[in-house]
Amino acid sequence: MDVIWTLNKNSNLTYVSPTVRNITGYTVDECLKPSIKNMFAESSWEIIQKILTEIYSNINANKSAHVYRQEVQVKRKNNSLFWGELTMNSVYDSNGEFIELVGVTRDISMR
């Protein structure tokens, strides 16, 4: 099962698919709070921050950002962890201006 989400240039979630509740126990509204940091294991959050820094650096330098894929530990509402595959891609408007990141988080714990 996948969770589809969008992240604005301030790294705030702007959309989360309702499937998030089935996978994490969080409601959509809980996910749309200001920080996504608490939704990941600390070591995974550090990796995600590095990826986001690289993405935003490329965007600011007018470089194309490619698709990023990373396995991370996602934290459920009950604080248990599961392995997820995080995929992110940049979305631009017709003028080439960055709009948002679109991502998918897939539960891969059964692999």
Side-chain angles (χ1 to χ4, degrees):
M1 185 174 299
D2 296 342
V3 177
I4 301 167
W5 47 267
T6 58
L7 196 69
N8 67 18
K9 57 185 156 190
N10 297 318
S11 297
N12 294 321
L13 286 167
T14 55
Y15 171 81
V16 179
S17 62
T19 54
V20 72
R21 187 169 197 142
N22 298 344
I23 296 175
T24 67
Y26 289 104
T27 65
V28 169
D29 288 339
E30 289 171 322
C31 291
L32 295 176
K33 303 263 182 197
S35 177
I36 59 172
K37 178 181 179 180
N38 295 330
M39 297 180 74
F40 299 95
E42 189 174 329
S43 59
S44 290
W45 177 244
E46 291 171 8
I47 294 167
I48 292 167
Q49 283 183 300
K50 288 177 185 175
I51 292 170
L52 290 174
T53 298
E54 181 179 339
I55 290 171
Y56 295 133
S57 177
N58 286 339
I59 290 167
N60 290 335
N62 292 320
K63 293 181 184 176
S64 295
H66 60 277
V67 175
Y68 288 83
R69 185 168 283 119
Q70 180 70 45
E71 291 184 6
V72 296
Q73 285 190 294
V74 182
K75 193 183 298 183
R76 292 185 180 96
K77 190 173 182 177
N78 68 6
N79 285 322
S80 66
L81 298 172
F82 70 92
W83 282 101
E85 180 182 70
L86 189 67
T87 305
M88 295 181 269
N89 196 8
S90 303
V91 177
Y92 298 86
D93 67 16
S94 59
N95 297 319
E97 295 294 319
F98 173 76
I99 299 174
E100 64 190 357
L101 292 174
V102 173
V104 176
T105 302
R106 174 172 290 161
D107 182 346
I108 59 168
S109 54
M110 294 302 196
R111 280 192 185 169

